Amino acid sequence: VMSSSNIGISVFAAFLILSSNSNAFVHPRVGRNFLEASSSSHNHRIKPRLYDVDTSDSSTGTALENNENEENYLMNKNVEDLKDDLNEDICLPRHASNEGVNEILSATESTLRILNEQSISLQDELDKEQVNIEEEYLNNGEDKLNDNEAPDESRESSTGRVYSNSYVDLERVDTVGFDYDYTLVTYTDELLELIYDMALNRLVQEKQYPIEMLDENMKFDPKYSIRGLAVDRQTAWICHLSYTHKVAVAWEGREKVSRQRLMEEYSGKRALSPKHRKKRLKPLNDLFSMAECCLIADTVQFFKDKNIPFCARNAVDDILSVIGSTHISGDFHRIAAANPGKYFEPKPSLRGVLEKLKKSGKRLIFVSNSPFWYVDAGMKYMFGEEWRNMWDVVIVSAGKPRFYTDNSRPFREVSKSSGRIKFKNIERFVPGDVYTEGCLRELTKCIDWYFASNDDTLSENDLKAQTTGGSSLASPNVLYIGDSLFADLVDAKREFGWTTAAVIPEVDYELKMQSKPKFILAQQTIALLLNALRMIQQDLGSGERTKEDLELMDALERMVSGWRDEQANLLENPFGSVFRARHTPSLFAHSLRRYCDLYMSDVAALGNYSLQHRFYPHDAKILSHEAAGAESECWDMEGIITTKFDS
């Protein structure tokens, strides 16, 4: 059993470790969050205090509302008053009889007070600084900044960083391929709104759904869905899966599914067998799928609100069908192509990235599933009339992932003037021409692979393969960049060993949100509560737990769960992080690590690196025993102090 002094030291060690080592502390910001403890000893949890906000129904899990009321309250309170409120309100539960455990809780509570008092003071400084920035911005005749914008921040990625999951040497890359949608071009939310509206109209007109749905103001909500979800065809639940395929969170319409229902539906383990998973779950992996995810949820909620009996499987099938028809019809493509300024995000630095790659002698290959007329309109808007001259090969309507797996589908040429398909046999690609369909095997035969390689170690057989249509594309020296893990990247990596890079705009967004004060505070609080739980169990030893022991730990676990809910709210969607399913890596994050060597928020980030740059991945700690300090389950302050101040 630890002494009182050692308990305080160990708990405060958690605070110092968080301040120095946590990934959440990219920016030196700590936030204001006001905590209150419920009066019931059996449901003791810290939660954010909201002013003039009805929190009686927490099942929806939506983002915090009435921020203006909260801010008005805060503006009328000075920093010292807020600190006094905080000291009164932060209160952890106590053990009925174990004083050793209560000492741990007291020390943790004291550390939380220090943490939150500093949060308020620092937030006050940040608020004053932000007011000064906004005043200066307004004095220059600009509109008011929004909450997530900096004065000099463009609409492009502000991080400009490429992240690596494995070692990549750009100098050895001789061929770079690009997808089109959400890779070379990025769309505004207006495009997903358009897809949603078109699919909703088809649902009513073609599938005879209630016409009242058109009068309910059903609109695409960019803050509802995230990438990497799945819809359960049998229940119409939208599910967020962990890397073990466990359903971490599920929503039925706009209502969160309770843990009890999850356990009942998924055999008491919140997961399906591989056979049933393949049959029931339909992945929603790319950014286009956010529209269908939102439409499924809104349709289910409409039926529930109107007390209309419905078959979940039929509803899901109908919605997937109209979404598919909307894509196949080309209707939204024509509208977007005619209004590129409305639907396409500007990317002024992208041309420089492509020109840099081209000048270095690397081949550039364009491979898109979109039709030529649509690609042509977007690329002309982005790069001008002569955009095809930037590419060694242009392939449209490629039909990925079949493009990778088919062994014999030939290429066909597309007329650049009419868009019609020509019938001649394609044996060699001509720069500037446009091709469709085909497969990777045919690509290796049709492109002229002979070039002045930077790799002096190529054998005679390698050179022969390059000049005679061999298998040179089955090589890690080919880098392919796309946004859809399973349509663009998985087969390229798995079947041909390509180096793959994913465009993941959520990285930039989540880093910005996680650097905000409230999110950092939530992260710190979770870490301290978990450390308290570990210390309590260490104090209790290896014997049988009493009823009071278990009730206390349950109460602290509910606190942790509440703060994780708060983190999801702060990310402004009901599912939380794209990369985390509650406290474990999401299935999307697992696939990203497994199949992608590199990832970035925007292709433009490549422009920040030398073409001889070598990417070194961070050491991926997967197992607990590999983590630093794993020899002790709890933080030890004395060791930390020695390491921190003697180094």
Side-chain angles (χ1 to χ4, degrees):
V1 178
M2 292 181 289
S3 66
S4 299
S5 59
N6 286 338
I7 290 171
I9 287 173
S10 294
V11 172
F12 195 69
F15 176 67
L16 286 190
I17 292 172
L18 286 169
S19 301
S20 60
N21 296 340
S22 173
N23 289 332
F25 292 87
V26 177
H27 299 274
R29 299 181 179 182
V30 227
R32 129 186 97 208
N33 211 330
F34 303 92
L35 311 175
E36 63 183 6
S38 67
S39 58
S40 169
S41 62
H42 296 290
N43 190 26
H44 226 306
R45 53 166 292 192
I46 295 179
K47 59 183 179 180
R49 172 188 284 173
L50 305 179
Y51 300 92
D52 300 319
V53 178
D54 180 11
T55 59
S56 59
D57 181 9
S58 61
S59 62
T60 58
T62 55
L64 300 180
E65 298 176 347
N66 291 340
N67 282 334
E68 184 176 350
N69 292 331
E70 182 182 356
E71 294 302 322
N72 289 338
Y73 172 86
L74 296 174
M75 290 176 65
N76 294 323
K77 298 279 286 185
N78 61 42
V79 173
E80 293 305 319
D81 288 340
L82 292 174
K83 288 181 179 179
D84 290 341
D85 288 346
L86 196 62
N87 287 330
E88 292 176 3
D89 290 337
I90 292 180
C91 180
L92 300 187
R94 294 295 192 268
H95 196 286
S97 58
N98 192 317
E99 289 305 314
V101 168
N102 287 337
E103 288 180 5
I104 295 171
L105 293 168
S106 295
T108 301
E109 190 175 287
S110 298
T111 306
L112 283 171
R113 284 203 181 94
I114 294 171
L115 180 74
N116 285 275
E117 288 176 1
Q118 290 183 347
S119 300
I120 294 171
S121 299
L122 291 174
Q123 183 62 53
D124 184 61
E125 295 176 9
L126 290 172
D127 286 345
K128 292 177 181 177
E129 181 181 337
Q130 181 67 18
V131 169
N132 293 335
I133 292 174
E134 290 194 0
E135 287 179 351
E136 182 179 351
Y137 202 59
L138 290 171
N139 290 336
N140 292 331
E142 301 289 346
D143 291 335
K144 188 177 184 297
L145 295 173
N146 63 48
D147 291 338
N148 298 325
E149 190 177 35
D152 58 350
E153 184 175 57
S154 71
R155 298 175 74 183
E156 293 192 77
S157 169
S158 65
T159 57
R161 180 178 171 185
V162 177
Y163 301 87
S164 62
N165 291 326
S166 57
Y167 173 78
V168 175
D169 183 354
L170 284 184
E171 186 175 21
R172 295 185 63 86
V173 172
D174 53 47
T175 303
V176 185
F178 289 87
D179 182 39
Y180 175 69
D181 296 300
Y182 285 108
T183 301
L184 290 171
V185 298
T186 301
Y187 300 105
T188 63
D189 284 341
E190 281 86 347
L191 185 69
L192 293 178
E193 293 172 5
L194 180 63
I195 295 172
Y196 180 101
D197 292 343
M198 287 184 166
L200 176 59
N201 275 281
R202 286 179 183 272
L203 198 62
V204 172
Q205 296 169 9
E206 298 178 9
K207 302 292 184 180
Q208 286 79 53
Y209 274 57
I211 195 170
E212 291 82 5
M213 293 176 69
L214 300 178
D215 301 325
E216 289 291 315
N217 197 31
M218 290 171 58
K219 295 292 182 183
F220 171 72
D221 181 1
K223 292 187 177 181
Y224 174 74
S225 61
I226 59 174
R227 194 155 42 152
L229 302 175
V231 58
D232 187 330
R233 296 176 185 269
Q234 188 165 308
T235 61
W237 294 353
I238 306 296
C239 304
H240 195 194
L241 305 180
S242 73
Y243 74 103
T244 60
H245 295 91
K246 180 179 178 180
V247 179
V249 179
W251 288 72
E252 182 180 37
R254 294 305 183 103
E255 298 174 2
K256 189 174 183 179
V257 179
S258 68
R259 184 179 186 276
Q260 180 180 352
R261 291 184 68 195
L262 285 175
M263 299 294 282
E264 292 172 353
E265 185 64 36
Y266 299 125
S267 304
K269 56 184 179 180
R270 295 171 67 163
L272 293 168
S273 67
K275 177 182 177 181
H276 288 92
R277 187 167 65 238
K278 185 175 182 180
K279 183 179 180 181
R280 285 182 59 169
L281 298 182
K282 196 273 184 184
L284 304 171
N285 282 322
D286 60 30
L287 290 166
F288 280 125
S289 67
M290 293 175 66
E292 63 191 283
C293 176
C294 192
L295 184 55
I296 291 170
D298 289 347
T299 301
V300 169
Q301 194 61 47
F302 173 85
F303 285 144
K304 293 178 67 176
D305 290 344
K306 304 297 182 182
N307 294 316
I308 300 174
F310 69 100
C311 172
R313 177 175 287 276
N314 287 340
V316 172
D317 288 344
D318 289 342
I319 294 168
L320 295 180
S321 173
V322 297
I323 286 285
S325 298
T326 301
H327 281 270
I328 294 171
S329 70
D331 292 341
F332 81 81
H333 296 86
R334 279 183 279 274
I335 294 175
N339 301 275
K342 179 178 181 180
Y343 295 105
F344 290 77
E345 293 276 8
K347 290 189 174 184
S349 60
L350 184 55
R351 175 186 287 274
V353 173
L354 297 179
E355 289 176 347
K356 182 179 179 180
L357 292 169
K358 188 71 173 176
K359 289 178 181 178
S360 72
K362 300 185 188 300
R363 304 185 195 88
L364 296 186
I365 299 178
F366 181 104
V367 185
S368 172
N369 284 349
S370 295
F372 171 67
W373 61 267
Y374 180 63
V375 164
D376 191 46
M379 293 297 282
K380 283 179 178 176
Y381 174 74
M382 300 291 290
F383 300 104
E385 292 288 333
E386 305 301 320
W387 69 270
R388 294 188 306 277
N389 295 337
M390 304 173 67
W391 303 89
D392 292 88
V393 183
V394 174
I395 302 169
V396 297
S397 300
K400 295 173 291 181
R402 182 185 172 190
F403 180 80
Y404 301 116
T405 57
D406 199 307
N407 290 325
S408 59
R409 187 174 61 162
F411 283 99
R412 306 176 73 178
E413 186 178 349
V414 180
S415 170
K416 296 184 290 293
S417 57
S418 68
R420 293 172 63 91
I421 303 298
K422 299 182 180 181
F423 301 100
K424 66 180 182 180
N425 187 44
I426 305 299
E427 295 181 347
R428 283 286 174 183
F429 290 142
V430 177
D433 284 349
V434 180
Y435 303 91
T436 186
E437 300 180 0
C439 63
L440 192 59
R441 183 181 294 273
E442 289 296 312
L443 179 62
T444 64
K445 297 178 182 178
C446 294
I447 195 170
D448 183 6
W449 290 111
Y450 184 74
F451 72 108
S453 174
N454 294 327
D455 191 348
D456 296 331
T457 65
L458 285 177
S459 68
E460 183 178 347
N461 289 335
D462 292 328
L463 292 171
K464 182 178 180 180
Q466 290 182 348
T467 58
T468 60
S471 58
S472 57
L473 271 187
S475 163
N477 294 345
V478 178
L479 169 63
Y480 189 77
I481 305 172
D483 73 293
S484 177
L485 297 187
F486 292 94
D488 294 327
L489 305 173
V490 169
D491 287 312
K493 165 62 82 178
R494 187 165 51 193
E495 301 296 330
F496 297 95
W498 283 9
T499 299
T500 52
V503 177
I504 311 291
E506 295 93 338
V507 172
D508 195 11
Y509 170 77
E510 289 200 14
L511 284 176
K512 289 178 183 177
M513 299 304 290
Q514 290 170 6
S515 70
K516 288 182 176 293
K518 288 184 178 180
F519 193 97
I520 293 174
L521 178 60
Q523 190 74 16
Q524 292 174 323
T525 304
I526 289 170
L528 286 168
L529 291 173
L530 289 175
N531 186 63
L533 279 163
R534 296 186 184 102
M535 293 177 68
I536 287 169
Q537 293 200 99
Q538 190 177 80
D539 186 85
L540 293 174
S542 59
E544 184 176 354
R545 302 290 188 252
T546 66
K547 178 183 177 182
E548 290 78 10
D549 297 339
L550 297 176
E551 285 181 350
L552 176 68
M553 289 191 291
D554 287 344
L556 291 173
E557 287 176 4
R558 284 194 295 271
M559 288 169 139
V560 172
S561 181
W563 277 102
R564 285 182 174 140
D565 288 339
E566 174 67 2
Q567 285 184 311
N569 291 340
L570 293 171
L571 289 173
E572 300 183 340
N573 75 77
F575 297 95
S577 172
V578 174
F579 310 102
R580 307 290 293 183
R582 298 293 284 177
H583 60 283
T584 62
S586 66
L587 183 59
F588 181 85
H590 176 69
S591 300
L592 180 66
R593 171 173 287 281
R594 182 177 182 184
Y595 295 113
C596 298
D597 300 288
L598 305 173
Y599 62 99
M600 63 205 81
S601 291
D602 193 285
V603 173
L606 286 172
N608 298 323
Y609 295 84
S610 164
L611 293 181
Q612 295 174 307
H613 188 85
R614 300 177 184 183
F615 292 96
Y616 302 100
H618 288 285
D619 192 8
K621 302 294 187 185
I622 298 177
L623 300 176
S624 293
H625 74 276
E626 296 180 295
E631 64 277 1
S632 175
E633 191 179 13
C634 307
W635 286 310
D636 174 27
M637 183 56 178
E638 293 179 350
I640 293 295
I641 291 177
T642 302
T643 303
K644 188 176 182 68
F645 294 100
D646 289 351
S647 58

